[in-house]
Amino acid sequence: MTRRRQCTECMNLASNHVSKALRQSTAASAKRSLPSVVMPALDGDGPIWQQIRRALANPILNGEWPPGTRIPTEALLTKRFGISRMTASKAVQQLVADGLVQRRRKTGTLVAERALERPVFEIWDIADLVARNGGVYAYRLLECRKLGPDPERRELLGVSVRTPLLWMRCMHLSDGKPIQLEERLINIDAAPNITCQPLETQGPSSWLLSHVPWTDAEHKISAREAPTEVAAELQIKPGTACLVVDRRTWNESTPVTLARLWHPDSRHNLVGHFRPAR
């Protein structure tokens, strides 16, 4: 009985070794069979993580990197562009959120099967837009407080009366002239560290983009006449036509923020670049 039990244990051990070897061999073979890619160049516009995101998204969307292609690793991106691992991870994670790539254990991050059907829309920080247009950016905090019951505003963000909210009003300037009045609701549960930030000197948009992940965004663009209070802040006449963007973001099913962005007459424009699905 002892010899039979020992033989059985030996057979099981040998079988485990064979199975492990087969798995390693299969994984290595699959890894070798994936298409290789050339590291793309950056375009120099905006935050480095968004540049990397665009650089990786472009060959996916134009079909140069077909489904199943393994994209450069975070370690490789870190070394190639001289950035932190956190910055590289943020760029790749946004591609995951966009549905362009999928993370696979032991294999790496691969181009998703239906990536060409996913549109990509970037959320730009106003400070970056001003800099890209050659202007000098400035920021001014007008109001910042925790919101009370306020059922109307809570309904806009889609949260209950128990959810802690931050209400902010900020002015963004280009070369000393108001270019955007920002009215923003922030779900503190979704961005708990926001209350510890020096919001008097840093706008909420740039901080949220750098520290709080989002998986879904919605933009509503409209033309509105500036009410008296908004007109006074933007230094325009009441009733002047403004470009207004209502922007919402979510992290999975959790509302993160709602921003209403007022832009006076011709001081701002929105430009989008799209490709058809192939």
Side-chain angles (χ1 to χ4, degrees):
M1 291 294 291
T2 301
R3 290 187 61 187
R4 181 180 298 176
R5 184 163 56 249
Q6 289 175 340
C7 288
T8 301
E9 291 174 352
C10 289
M11 290 175 64
N12 289 337
L13 184 60
S15 177
N16 289 337
H17 279 302
V18 170
S19 297
K20 183 178 180 180
L22 284 172
R23 288 195 301 269
Q24 291 175 340
S25 175
T26 301
S29 177
K31 201 168 186 177
R32 285 193 301 270
S33 67
L34 292 171
S36 60
V37 299
V38 176
M39 182 73 75
L42 304 185
D43 56 24
D45 286 338
I48 189 70
W49 73 268
Q50 288 192 351
Q51 293 185 47
I52 294 172
R53 171 177 173 256
R54 282 197 302 276
L56 299 178
N58 285 338
I60 295 174
L61 293 171
N62 65 25
E64 182 181 341
W65 293 355
T69 300
R70 186 172 63 249
I71 71 170
T73 65
E74 291 177 11
L76 192 57
L77 293 171
T78 299
K79 182 177 180 181
R80 171 65 175 81
F81 298 116
I83 57 175
S84 68
R85 187 66 177 263
M86 182 181 297
T87 299
S89 178
K90 183 176 181 180
V92 174
Q93 185 55 47
Q94 191 55 57
L95 291 175
V96 174
D98 291 335
L100 298 181
V101 300
Q102 296 175 326
R103 294 185 186 273
R104 296 284 179 83
R105 189 169 176 266
K106 296 184 179 181
T107 305
T109 304
L110 312 180
V111 176
E113 288 296 326
R114 303 174 68 87
L116 287 177
E117 299 177 11
R118 296 297 300 266
V120 177
F121 189 90
E122 292 187 2
I123 294 181
W124 283 93
D125 180 25
I126 186 65
D128 294 318
L129 287 175
V130 171
R132 290 176 67 210
N133 291 327
V136 177
Y137 171 76
Y139 162 80
R140 193 163 65 230
L141 178 65
L142 305 176
E143 182 182 2
C144 182
R145 61 183 172 86
K146 286 190 176 180
L147 197 69
D150 204 325
E152 184 176 349
R153 287 196 178 112
R154 289 178 176 277
E155 184 177 355
L156 288 174
L157 188 57
V159 296
S160 72
V161 71
R162 296 184 298 276
T163 303
L165 293 183
L166 197 66
W167 164 250
M168 298 186 66
R169 296 177 73 248
C170 321
M171 179 61 67
H172 304 275
L173 303 98
S174 175
D175 295 331
K177 295 181 179 180
I179 190 173
Q180 182 188 90
L181 174 63
E182 175 180 353
E183 299 175 330
R184 184 180 290 272
L185 289 167
I186 302 172
N187 180 353
I188 297 176
D189 283 345
N193 293 328
I194 187 73
T195 56
C196 304
Q197 303 309 308
L199 297 173
E200 297 83 2
T201 57
Q202 180 185 22
S205 177
S206 60
W207 187 87
L208 289 166
L209 282 173
S210 300
H211 296 86
V212 181
W214 59 275
T215 57
D216 296 273
E218 175 186 273
H219 280 70
K220 179 182 178 183
I221 302 171
S222 58
R224 300 189 191 183
E225 294 182 352
T228 302
E229 185 179 11
V230 170
E233 298 290 0
L234 291 174
Q235 300 176 13
I236 56 178
K237 293 181 180 180
T240 299
C242 292
L243 175 69
V244 181
V245 178
D246 289 324
R247 175 191 296 162
R248 304 168 186 262
T249 59
W250 293 262
N251 187 2
E252 301 300 342
S253 60
T254 302
V256 176
T257 185
L258 166 63
R260 177 161 292 169
L261 311 172
W262 294 82
H263 307 91
D265 46 66
S266 60
R267 299 182 203 171
H268 186 72
N269 57 63
L270 295 173
V271 178
H273 182 76
F274 305 90
R275 289 189 181 96
R278 296 173 184 268

